[in-house]
Amino acid sequence: LDFLIENSLVLELKAVQKLEPIHQAQLLTYLKLSQVPLGLLINFNVPVLKDGLQRMTTGDLFRDDHGGRSNATRLLRLLIASIPCLFR
């Protein structure tokens, strides 16, 4: 958890080539554990900062890339992406 703003917004800051599903899973975990509904994933390694912003809510865990309800595949992808972090 990089920043918690007034118990209403979680900021997760990155400086990576590309945001990966593990970064989304990390932010969603922080949102769930802190019981904060809104988070921003910010990647500073982009030419234009607005291209590095990603807004997420706790409900995003169950939405697909088109805004609809997802099937179990998205949840499974996020869980699998988070496994390497458990063994660092």
Side-chain angles (χ1 to χ4, degrees):
L1 183 80
D2 289 325
F3 290 100
L4 178 59
I5 312 294
E6 295 194 14
N7 290 324
S8 61
L9 176 67
V10 173
L11 292 181
E12 182 61 25
L13 308 178
K14 301 290 181 194
V16 294
Q17 288 285 25
K18 178 183 168 211
L19 290 174
E20 300 289 341
I22 185 67
H23 301 128
Q24 296 172 337
Q26 182 181 23
L27 178 55
L28 286 171
T29 300
Y30 292 154
L31 292 175
K32 286 174 58 178
L33 292 176
S34 64
Q35 296 181 345
V36 173
L38 182 62
L40 285 177
L41 185 56
I42 304 173
N43 184 15
F44 287 99
N45 192 20
V46 290
V48 179
L49 188 57
K50 73 175 185 172
D51 295 336
L53 294 176
Q54 186 172 5
R55 179 183 185 270
M56 298 187 78
T57 64
T58 50
D60 286 341
L61 181 61
F62 301 105
R63 286 189 178 77
D64 63 16
D65 295 332
H66 305 292
R69 297 299 256 173
S70 73
N71 54 21
T73 305
R74 178 160 170 76
L75 178 60
L76 185 60
R77 280 192 347 228
L78 288 172
L79 289 173
I80 290 172
S82 65
I83 289 173
C85 289
L86 299 175
F87 300 103
R88 287 187 189 168

Coordinates of all heavy atoms in Angstrom, one line a residue:
L1 N 0.9 -1.2 0.0 CA 0.0 0.0 0.0 C 0.9 1.2 0.0 O 1.6 1.5 1.0 CB -0.9 0.0 1.2 CG -1.9 1.1 1.3 CD1 -3.1 0.8 0.5 CD2 -2.4 1.2 2.8
D2 N 0.9 2.0 -1.1 CA 1.7 3.2 -1.2 C 1.1 4.4 -0.4 O 1.8 5.0 0.4 CB 2.0 3.5 -2.6 CG 2.9 2.5 -3.3 OD1 3.8 2.0 -2.6 OD2 2.8 2.2 -4.5
F3 N -0.1 4.7 -0.7 CA -0.8 5.8 -0.1 C -2.3 5.5 0.2 O -2.9 4.9 -0.7 CB -0.7 7.1 -0.9 CG 0.6 7.7 -1.1 CD1 1.4 7.4 -2.2 CD2 1.2 8.5 -0.1 CE1 2.6 8.0 -2.3 CE2 2.4 9.0 -0.2 CZ 3.2 8.8 -1.3
L4 N -2.7 5.9 1.3 CA -4.2 5.8 1.7 C -4.6 7.2 1.9 O -4.2 7.9 2.9 CB -4.4 4.9 2.9 CG -5.8 4.8 3.4 CD1 -6.7 4.2 2.3 CD2 -5.9 3.9 4.6
I5 N -5.5 7.7 1.1 CA -5.9 9.1 1.1 C -7.3 9.2 1.9 O -8.3 8.7 1.3 CB -6.1 9.8 -0.3 CG1 -4.8 9.5 -1.1 CG2 -6.4 11.2 -0.2 CD1 -3.6 10.1 -0.7
E6 N -7.3 9.7 3.1 CA -8.5 10.0 3.9 C -9.4 8.8 3.9 O -10.6 8.9 3.9 CB -9.2 11.2 3.4 CG -8.4 12.5 3.6 CD -9.3 13.7 3.4 OE1 -10.5 13.7 3.4 OE2 -8.6 14.8 3.3
N7 N -8.9 7.6 4.0 CA -9.6 6.4 4.1 C -10.7 6.2 3.0 O -11.7 5.6 3.1 CB -10.3 6.2 5.4 CG -9.3 5.9 6.5 OD1 -8.3 5.3 6.3 ND2 -9.6 6.5 7.7
S8 N -10.4 6.8 1.8 CA -11.3 6.7 0.7 C -10.7 6.4 -0.6 O -11.4 6.1 -1.6 CB -12.2 8.0 0.6 OG -11.3 9.1 0.3
L9 N -9.4 6.5 -0.7 CA -8.7 6.2 -2.0 C -7.3 5.6 -1.7 O -6.5 6.1 -0.9 CB -8.5 7.5 -2.7 CG -7.7 7.5 -4.0 CD1 -8.4 6.7 -5.1 CD2 -7.3 8.9 -4.5
V10 N -7.0 4.5 -2.4 CA -5.7 3.8 -2.3 C -5.0 4.2 -3.6 O -5.5 4.0 -4.7 CB -5.9 2.3 -2.2 CG1 -4.5 1.6 -2.3 CG2 -6.6 1.9 -0.9
L11 N -3.7 4.6 -3.4 CA -2.9 4.9 -4.6 C -1.8 3.9 -4.6 O -1.1 3.7 -3.6 CB -2.2 6.3 -4.4 CG -3.1 7.5 -4.6 CD1 -2.2 8.8 -4.5 CD2 -3.8 7.5 -5.9
E12 N -1.6 3.2 -5.7 CA -0.5 2.2 -5.9 C 0.3 2.7 -7.0 O -0.1 2.9 -8.1 CB -1.1 0.8 -6.2 CG -0.1 -0.3 -6.3 CD 0.7 -0.5 -5.1 OE1 0.3 -0.2 -4.0 OE2 1.9 -1.0 -5.2
L13 N 1.6 3.0 -6.7 CA 2.5 3.7 -7.6 C 3.5 2.6 -8.2 O 4.0 1.8 -7.4 CB 3.3 4.8 -6.9 CG 2.4 5.8 -6.2 CD1 3.3 6.8 -5.5 CD2 1.4 6.5 -7.1
K14 N 3.7 2.7 -9.5 CA 4.6 1.8 -10.2 C 5.5 2.6 -11.1 O 5.1 3.7 -11.6 CB 3.8 0.7 -11.0 CG 2.9 -0.1 -10.2 CD 3.7 -1.1 -9.3 CE 2.8 -1.9 -8.5 NZ 3.5 -2.6 -7.4
A15 N 6.6 2.0 -11.5 CA 7.5 2.6 -12.6 C 8.0 1.4 -13.3 O 9.1 0.9 -13.2 CB 8.6 3.4 -12.0
V16 N 7.1 0.8 -14.1 CA 7.4 -0.5 -14.9 C 7.1 -0.3 -16.3 O 6.4 0.7 -16.7 CB 6.5 -1.6 -14.3 CG1 6.9 -2.0 -12.9 CG2 5.0 -1.3 -14.4
Q17 N 7.6 -1.2 -17.2 CA 7.4 -1.1 -18.6 C 6.0 -1.2 -19.0 O 5.5 -0.5 -19.8 CB 8.2 -2.2 -19.4 CG 9.7 -2.0 -19.4 CD 10.1 -0.9 -20.3 OE1 9.4 0.0 -20.7 NE2 11.3 -1.0 -20.8
K18 N 5.3 -2.1 -18.3 CA 3.8 -2.3 -18.6 C 3.2 -2.8 -17.4 O 3.7 -3.6 -16.6 CB 3.8 -3.4 -19.7 CG 2.4 -3.8 -20.1 CD 2.4 -4.9 -21.1 CE 1.0 -5.5 -21.3 NZ 1.0 -6.9 -21.6
L19 N 2.0 -2.3 -17.1 CA 1.2 -2.8 -16.0 C 0.7 -4.2 -16.3 O 0.2 -4.5 -17.4 CB 0.0 -1.9 -15.7 CG 0.3 -0.6 -15.1 CD1 -0.9 0.3 -15.0 CD2 1.0 -0.7 -13.8
E20 N 0.9 -5.1 -15.4 CA 0.6 -6.6 -15.5 C -0.6 -6.9 -14.7 O -0.9 -6.2 -13.7 CB 1.8 -7.4 -15.2 CG 3.1 -7.2 -16.0 CD 3.0 -7.7 -17.4 OE1 2.1 -8.5 -17.7 OE2 3.7 -7.2 -18.2
P21 N -1.2 -8.0 -14.9 CA -2.3 -8.5 -14.1 C -2.0 -8.6 -12.6 O -2.8 -8.3 -11.7 CB -2.7 -9.8 -14.6 CG -2.3 -9.8 -16.0 CD -1.1 -8.9 -16.1
I22 N -0.7 -8.9 -12.3 CA -0.3 -9.0 -10.9 C -0.4 -7.6 -10.2 O -0.8 -7.5 -9.0 CB 1.1 -9.5 -10.7 CG1 1.5 -9.7 -9.3 CG2 2.1 -8.6 -11.4 CD1 0.7 -10.8 -8.6
H23 N -0.2 -6.5 -10.9 CA -0.3 -5.2 -10.3 C -1.8 -4.9 -10.0 O -2.1 -4.3 -9.0 CB 0.2 -4.1 -11.3 CG 1.7 -4.3 -11.6 ND1 2.1 -4.4 -12.9 CD2 2.7 -4.6 -10.8 CE1 3.5 -4.6 -12.8 NE2 3.8 -4.7 -11.6
Q24 N -2.7 -5.3 -10.9 CA -4.1 -5.1 -10.6 C -4.6 -6.0 -9.4 O -5.3 -5.5 -8.6 CB -5.0 -5.6 -11.9 CG -4.7 -4.7 -13.1 CD -5.4 -5.2 -14.3 OE1 -5.7 -6.4 -14.4 NE2 -5.7 -4.4 -15.3
A25 N -4.1 -7.2 -9.4 CA -4.4 -8.1 -8.3 C -3.9 -7.5 -6.9 O -4.6 -7.6 -5.9 CB -3.8 -9.5 -8.5
Q26 N -2.7 -6.9 -7.0 CA -2.2 -6.3 -5.8 C -3.1 -5.2 -5.3 O -3.4 -5.1 -4.1 CB -0.8 -5.8 -6.1 CG -0.1 -5.2 -4.9 CD 1.3 -4.7 -5.3 OE1 1.6 -4.4 -6.4 NE2 2.2 -4.5 -4.3
L27 N -3.5 -4.3 -6.2 CA -4.3 -3.2 -5.8 C -5.7 -3.7 -5.3 O -6.2 -3.2 -4.3 CB -4.5 -2.2 -7.0 CG -5.4 -1.0 -6.7 CD1 -5.0 -0.2 -5.5 CD2 -5.5 -0.1 -7.9
L28 N -6.3 -4.6 -6.0 CA -7.6 -5.2 -5.5 C -7.4 -5.8 -4.1 O -8.3 -5.7 -3.3 CB -8.1 -6.2 -6.5 CG -8.6 -5.6 -7.8 CD1 -8.9 -6.8 -8.8 CD2 -9.9 -4.8 -7.6
T29 N -6.3 -6.4 -3.9 CA -6.1 -7.0 -2.5 C -6.0 -5.9 -1.5 O -6.7 -6.0 -0.4 CB -4.8 -7.8 -2.5 OG1 -4.9 -8.9 -3.4 CG2 -4.5 -8.4 -1.1
Y30 N -5.3 -4.8 -1.8 CA -5.3 -3.7 -0.9 C -6.7 -3.1 -0.6 O -7.0 -2.7 0.5 CB -4.3 -2.6 -1.4 CG -2.9 -3.0 -1.4 CD1 -2.0 -2.4 -2.3 CD2 -2.3 -3.9 -0.6 CE1 -0.7 -2.7 -2.4 CE2 -1.0 -4.3 -0.6 CZ -0.2 -3.7 -1.5 OH 1.1 -4.0 -1.5
L31 N -7.4 -3.0 -1.7 CA -8.8 -2.4 -1.6 C -9.6 -3.3 -0.7 O -10.4 -2.8 0.2 CB -9.5 -2.3 -2.9 CG -8.9 -1.2 -3.9 CD1 -9.6 -1.3 -5.2 CD2 -9.0 0.2 -3.3
K32 N -9.6 -4.6 -0.9 CA -10.4 -5.5 -0.1 C -9.9 -5.5 1.4 O -10.8 -5.4 2.3 CB -10.3 -6.9 -0.6 CG -11.1 -7.1 -1.9 CD -10.9 -8.5 -2.5 CE -11.2 -9.6 -1.5 NZ -11.1 -10.9 -2.1
L33 N -8.6 -5.5 1.7 CA -8.1 -5.6 3.0 C -8.4 -4.3 3.8 O -8.6 -4.3 5.0 CB -6.7 -5.9 3.1 CG -6.3 -7.4 2.6 CD1 -4.8 -7.6 2.6 CD2 -7.0 -8.4 3.5
S34 N -8.3 -3.2 3.1 CA -8.5 -1.9 3.7 C -9.9 -1.4 3.8 O -10.3 -0.4 4.4 CB -7.6 -0.8 3.1 OG -8.1 -0.6 1.7
Q35 N -10.8 -2.2 3.1 CA -12.2 -1.9 2.9 C -12.5 -0.5 2.3 O -13.4 0.2 2.7 CB -12.9 -2.0 4.3 CG -12.9 -3.5 4.8 CD -13.6 -3.6 6.1 OE1 -13.9 -2.7 6.8 NE2 -13.9 -4.9 6.4
V36 N -11.6 -0.1 1.4 CA -11.7 1.1 0.7 C -12.2 0.8 -0.7 O -11.7 -0.1 -1.4 CB -10.3 1.9 0.6 CG1 -10.4 3.1 -0.3 CG2 -9.8 2.2 2.0
P37 N -13.2 1.5 -1.2 CA -13.8 1.1 -2.5 C -13.1 1.5 -3.7 O -13.4 1.0 -4.8 CB -15.2 1.7 -2.4 CG -15.0 2.9 -1.5 CD -14.0 2.5 -0.5
L38 N -12.2 2.5 -3.6 CA -11.6 3.1 -4.8 C -10.1 3.1 -4.8 O -9.5 3.4 -3.8 CB -12.2 4.5 -5.0 CG -11.7 5.3 -6.2 CD1 -12.2 4.6 -7.5 CD2 -12.2 6.7 -6.2
G39 N -9.5 2.8 -5.9 CA -8.0 2.8 -6.0 C -7.6 3.3 -7.3 O -8.2 3.2 -8.4
L40 N -6.4 3.9 -7.4 CA -5.7 4.3 -8.6 C -4.4 3.6 -8.7 O -3.6 3.6 -7.8 CB -5.4 5.8 -8.6 CG -6.6 6.7 -8.9 CD1 -6.2 8.2 -8.8 CD2 -7.3 6.4 -10.2
L41 N -4.2 2.9 -9.8 CA -2.9 2.3 -10.2 C -2.2 3.2 -11.1 O -2.7 3.5 -12.2 CB -3.2 0.9 -10.8 CG -2.0 0.0 -11.1 CD1 -1.1 -0.2 -9.9 CD2 -2.5 -1.3 -11.7
I42 N -1.0 3.7 -10.7 CA -0.4 4.8 -11.5 C 1.0 4.3 -11.9 O 1.8 3.9 -11.0 CB -0.2 6.1 -10.7 CG1 -1.6 6.6 -10.3 CG2 0.5 7.1 -11.6 CD1 -1.5 7.8 -9.4
N43 N 1.3 4.2 -13.2 CA 2.6 3.8 -13.7 C 3.3 5.1 -14.2 O 2.8 5.8 -15.2 CB 2.4 2.8 -14.9 CG 3.7 2.3 -15.4 OD1 4.8 2.5 -14.8 ND2 3.7 1.7 -16.6
F44 N 4.4 5.4 -13.6 CA 5.1 6.6 -14.0 C 6.1 6.4 -15.2 O 6.7 7.4 -15.7 CB 5.9 7.2 -12.8 CG 5.0 7.8 -11.8 CD1 4.6 7.1 -10.7 CD2 4.6 9.1 -11.9 CE1 3.8 7.7 -9.7 CE2 3.7 9.7 -11.0 CZ 3.4 9.0 -9.9
N45 N 6.2 5.2 -15.6 CA 7.2 4.9 -16.7 C 6.4 4.9 -18.1 O 6.4 4.0 -18.9 CB 7.8 3.5 -16.5 CG 9.0 3.3 -17.4 OD1 9.5 4.2 -18.0 ND2 9.3 2.0 -17.7
V46 N 5.8 6.1 -18.4 CA 5.0 6.3 -19.6 C 5.3 7.7 -20.1 O 5.6 8.6 -19.3 CB 3.5 6.1 -19.5 CG1 3.2 4.6 -19.2 CG2 3.0 6.9 -18.3
P47 N 5.3 7.9 -21.4 CA 5.6 9.3 -21.9 C 4.5 10.3 -21.5 O 4.8 11.4 -21.2 CB 5.5 9.1 -23.4 CG 5.7 7.7 -23.7 CD 5.2 7.0 -22.5
V48 N 3.2 9.9 -21.4 CA 2.1 10.8 -21.0 C 1.5 10.1 -19.8 O 1.0 9.0 -19.9 CB 1.1 11.0 -22.2 CG1 0.0 11.9 -21.7 CG2 1.8 11.5 -23.4
L49 N 1.5 10.9 -18.7 CA 1.0 10.3 -17.4 C -0.4 9.7 -17.5 O -0.7 8.7 -16.9 CB 1.1 11.3 -16.3 CG 0.9 10.7 -14.9 CD1 1.8 9.6 -14.6 CD2 1.0 11.8 -13.9
K50 N -1.3 10.4 -18.2 CA -2.7 9.9 -18.3 C -2.7 8.5 -18.9 O -3.7 7.7 -18.6 CB -3.6 10.8 -19.0 CG -3.4 10.9 -20.5 CD -4.4 11.8 -21.2 CE -4.2 11.7 -22.7 NZ -5.3 12.3 -23.4
D51 N -1.7 8.1 -19.7 CA -1.7 6.7 -20.2 C -1.3 5.7 -19.2 O -1.5 4.5 -19.4 CB -0.7 6.6 -21.4 CG -1.2 7.5 -22.6 OD1 -2.4 7.7 -22.7 OD2 -0.3 7.9 -23.4
G52 N -0.8 6.2 -18.0 CA -0.4 5.2 -17.0 C -1.3 5.2 -15.8 O -1.0 4.6 -14.8
L53 N -2.5 5.7 -16.0 CA -3.5 5.7 -14.9 C -4.5 4.6 -15.1 O -5.0 4.4 -16.3 CB -4.3 7.1 -14.9 CG -3.5 8.3 -14.5 CD1 -4.4 9.5 -14.6 CD2 -2.9 8.2 -13.1
Q54 N -4.9 3.9 -14.1 CA -5.9 2.9 -14.1 C -6.7 3.0 -12.8 O -6.2 2.9 -11.7 CB -5.3 1.5 -14.3 CG -6.4 0.5 -14.5 CD -5.8 -0.9 -14.8 OE1 -4.5 -1.0 -14.8 NE2 -6.6 -1.8 -15.1
R55 N -8.0 3.3 -13.0 CA -8.9 3.4 -11.9 C -9.6 2.1 -11.6 O -10.0 1.4 -12.5 CB -10.0 4.4 -12.2 CG -11.1 4.6 -11.1 CD -12.1 5.6 -11.6 NE -13.1 6.0 -10.6 CZ -14.2 5.3 -10.4 NH1 -14.5 4.3 -11.1 NH2 -15.0 5.7 -9.4
M56 N -9.6 1.6 -10.3 CA -10.2 0.3 -10.0 C -11.1 0.5 -8.8 O -10.8 1.3 -7.9 CB -9.1 -0.7 -9.7 CG -8.2 -0.9 -10.9 SD -7.0 -2.3 -10.6 CE -8.1 -3.6 -10.8
T57 N -12.1 -0.3 -8.8 CA -13.0 -0.4 -7.6 C -13.0 -1.9 -7.1 O -12.6 -2.8 -7.9 CB -14.4 0.0 -7.9 OG1 -15.0 -0.9 -8.8 CG2 -14.4 1.5 -8.4
T58 N -13.5 -2.1 -5.9 CA -13.5 -3.5 -5.4 C -14.4 -4.4 -6.3 O -14.2 -5.6 -6.5 CB -14.0 -3.6 -4.0 OG1 -15.2 -2.8 -3.9 CG2 -13.0 -3.0 -3.0
G59 N -15.4 -3.8 -7.0 CA -16.2 -4.6 -7.9 C -15.5 -5.0 -9.2 O -16.0 -5.8 -9.9
D60 N -14.4 -4.4 -9.5 CA -13.6 -4.7 -10.7 C -13.1 -6.2 -10.7 O -12.8 -6.7 -11.8 CB -12.4 -3.8 -11.0 CG -12.9 -2.4 -11.4 OD1 -14.0 -2.3 -11.9 OD2 -12.1 -1.5 -11.3
L61 N -13.1 -6.8 -9.6 CA -12.6 -8.2 -9.5 C -13.6 -9.1 -10.3 O -13.2 -10.1 -10.9 CB -12.6 -8.6 -8.1 CG -12.1 -10.1 -7.8 CD1 -10.7 -10.3 -8.3 CD2 -12.2 -10.4 -6.3
F62 N -14.9 -8.7 -10.4 CA -15.9 -9.5 -11.1 C -16.4 -8.9 -12.4 O -17.4 -9.3 -12.9 CB -17.0 -9.7 -10.1 CG -16.6 -10.3 -8.8 CD1 -16.5 -9.6 -7.7 CD2 -16.2 -11.7 -8.8 CE1 -16.1 -10.2 -6.5 CE2 -15.8 -12.3 -7.6 CZ -15.7 -11.5 -6.5
R63 N -15.6 -8.0 -13.0 CA -16.0 -7.5 -14.3 C -15.0 -7.9 -15.4 O -13.8 -8.0 -15.1 CB -16.0 -5.9 -14.2 CG -17.2 -5.4 -13.5 CD -17.3 -3.9 -13.6 NE -18.5 -3.4 -12.9 CZ -18.6 -3.3 -11.6 NH1 -17.6 -3.6 -10.8 NH2 -19.7 -2.8 -11.1
D64 N -15.4 -8.1 -16.6 CA -14.5 -8.4 -17.7 C -14.0 -7.1 -18.3 O -14.3 -6.0 -17.8 CB -15.2 -9.3 -18.7 CG -16.3 -8.6 -19.4 OD1 -16.5 -7.4 -19.3 OD2 -17.1 -9.3 -20.1
D65 N -13.2 -7.2 -19.3 CA -12.5 -6.0 -19.9 C -13.5 -5.1 -20.6 O -13.2 -4.0 -21.0 CB -11.5 -6.4 -20.9 CG -10.3 -7.1 -20.2 OD1 -10.1 -6.8 -19.0 OD2 -9.7 -8.0 -20.8
H66 N -14.8 -5.5 -20.8 CA -15.8 -4.7 -21.5 C -16.8 -4.2 -20.5 O -17.8 -3.6 -21.0 CB -16.5 -5.6 -22.6 CG -15.5 -6.2 -23.6 ND1 -14.8 -5.4 -24.5 CD2 -15.1 -7.4 -23.7 CE1 -14.0 -6.2 -25.1 NE2 -14.2 -7.4 -24.7
G67 N -16.6 -4.3 -19.2 CA -17.4 -3.7 -18.2 C -18.6 -4.6 -17.8 O -19.3 -4.3 -16.9
G68 N -18.7 -5.8 -18.4 CA -19.8 -6.7 -18.0 C -19.3 -7.7 -16.9 O -18.1 -7.6 -16.4
R69 N -20.2 -8.5 -16.4 CA -19.8 -9.5 -15.4 C -18.9 -10.5 -16.0 O -19.2 -11.0 -17.1 CB -21.1 -10.1 -14.8 CG -22.0 -9.2 -14.1 CD -21.3 -8.5 -12.9 NE -21.8 -9.1 -11.7 CZ -21.3 -8.8 -10.5 NH1 -20.3 -8.0 -10.4 NH2 -21.7 -9.4 -9.4
S70 N -17.9 -10.9 -15.3 CA -17.0 -11.9 -15.9 C -17.3 -13.3 -15.5 O -18.1 -13.5 -14.6 CB -15.6 -11.6 -15.4 OG -15.4 -12.0 -14.1
N71 N -16.7 -14.2 -16.1 CA -16.8 -15.6 -15.7 C -15.6 -15.9 -14.8 O -14.9 -15.0 -14.4 CB -16.8 -16.5 -16.9 CG -15.6 -16.3 -17.8 OD1 -14.6 -15.7 -17.4 ND2 -15.7 -16.7 -19.1
A72 N -15.4 -17.1 -14.4 CA -14.4 -17.5 -13.5 C -13.0 -17.3 -14.1 O -12.0 -17.3 -13.3 CB -14.6 -18.9 -13.0
T73 N -12.9 -17.1 -15.4 CA -11.6 -17.0 -16.0 C -10.8 -15.8 -15.5 O -9.6 -15.9 -15.2 CB -11.7 -16.9 -17.5 OG1 -12.5 -18.0 -18.0 CG2 -10.4 -16.9 -18.2
R74 N -11.4 -14.7 -15.4 CA -10.7 -13.5 -14.9 C -10.3 -13.6 -13.4 O -9.1 -13.3 -13.1 CB -11.6 -12.2 -15.0 CG -10.9 -11.0 -14.5 CD -11.6 -9.7 -15.0 NE -11.1 -8.5 -14.4 CZ -9.9 -8.0 -14.6 NH1 -9.1 -8.5 -15.5 NH2 -9.6 -6.9 -14.0
L75 N -11.1 -14.2 -12.6 CA -10.7 -14.4 -11.2 C -9.6 -15.4 -11.2 O -8.6 -15.2 -10.4 CB -11.9 -15.0 -10.4 CG -11.7 -15.3 -9.0 CD1 -11.2 -14.1 -8.2 CD2 -12.9 -15.9 -8.4
L76 N -9.6 -16.4 -12.0 CA -8.5 -17.4 -12.0 C -7.2 -16.8 -12.5 O -6.2 -17.0 -11.9 CB -8.9 -18.6 -12.9 CG -7.9 -19.7 -12.9 CD1 -7.7 -20.3 -11.6 CD2 -8.4 -20.8 -13.9
R77 N -7.3 -15.9 -13.5 CA -6.1 -15.2 -14.0 C -5.5 -14.4 -12.9 O -4.3 -14.3 -12.7 CB -6.4 -14.3 -15.2 CG -6.5 -15.1 -16.5 CD -6.6 -14.2 -17.7 NE -6.8 -12.8 -17.5 CZ -7.7 -12.1 -18.1 NH1 -8.5 -12.6 -19.0 NH2 -7.9 -10.8 -17.9
L78 N -6.3 -13.6 -12.2 CA -5.8 -12.8 -11.1 C -5.2 -13.6 -10.0 O -4.1 -13.2 -9.4 CB -6.9 -11.9 -10.6 CG -7.4 -10.8 -11.5 CD1 -8.6 -10.1 -10.9 CD2 -6.2 -9.7 -11.7
L79 N -5.8 -14.7 -9.6 CA -5.2 -15.5 -8.6 C -3.9 -16.2 -9.0 O -3.0 -16.2 -8.2 CB -6.2 -16.6 -8.2 CG -7.5 -16.2 -7.4 CD1 -8.5 -17.3 -7.3 CD2 -7.1 -15.6 -6.1
I80 N -3.8 -16.6 -10.2 CA -2.6 -17.3 -10.7 C -1.5 -16.2 -10.8 O -0.3 -16.5 -10.4 CB -2.8 -17.9 -12.1 CG1 -3.7 -19.2 -11.9 CG2 -1.5 -18.3 -12.7 CD1 -4.2 -19.8 -13.1
A81 N -1.8 -15.0 -11.2 CA -0.8 -13.9 -11.3 C -0.3 -13.6 -9.9 O 0.9 -13.1 -9.8 CB -1.4 -12.7 -12.0
S82 N -1.0 -13.7 -8.9 CA -0.6 -13.3 -7.6 C 0.3 -14.4 -6.9 O 0.9 -14.2 -5.9 CB -1.8 -13.0 -6.7 OG -2.6 -14.1 -6.4
I83 N 0.3 -15.6 -7.4 CA 1.0 -16.7 -6.8 C 2.5 -16.5 -6.6 O 3.1 -16.7 -5.6 CB 0.7 -18.1 -7.5 CG1 -0.7 -18.5 -7.2 CG2 1.7 -19.2 -7.1 CD1 -1.2 -19.7 -8.0
P84 N 3.2 -16.0 -7.7 CA 4.7 -15.8 -7.5 C 5.0 -14.8 -6.3 O 6.1 -15.0 -5.7 CB 5.1 -15.1 -8.8 CG 4.1 -15.6 -9.8 CD 2.8 -15.7 -9.0
C85 N 4.2 -13.9 -6.0 CA 4.4 -13.0 -4.9 C 4.5 -13.7 -3.6 O 5.1 -13.3 -2.6 CB 3.4 -11.9 -4.8 SG 3.5 -10.7 -6.2
L86 N 3.8 -14.8 -3.5 CA 3.8 -15.6 -2.2 C 5.1 -16.3 -1.9 O 5.4 -16.6 -0.8 CB 2.7 -16.7 -2.3 CG 1.3 -16.2 -2.5 CD1 0.3 -17.3 -2.6 CD2 0.8 -15.3 -1.3
F87 N 6.0 -16.4 -2.9 CA 7.2 -17.2 -2.7 C 8.4 -16.3 -2.8 O 9.5 -16.8 -3.0 CB 7.3 -18.3 -3.7 CG 6.1 -19.3 -3.6 CD1 5.1 -19.2 -4.5 CD2 6.1 -20.2 -2.6 CE1 4.0 -20.1 -4.3 CE2 5.0 -21.0 -2.4 CZ 4.0 -21.0 -3.3
R88 N 8.3 -15.0 -2.7 CA 9.5 -14.1 -2.8 C 10.1 -14.0 -1.4 O 9.6 -14.1 -0.4 CB 9.0 -12.7 -3.2 CG 8.7 -12.7 -4.7 CD 8.4 -11.3 -5.1 NE 7.9 -11.4 -6.5 CZ 7.4 -10.3 -7.1 NH1 7.3 -9.2 -6.5 NH2 6.9 -10.4 -8.3

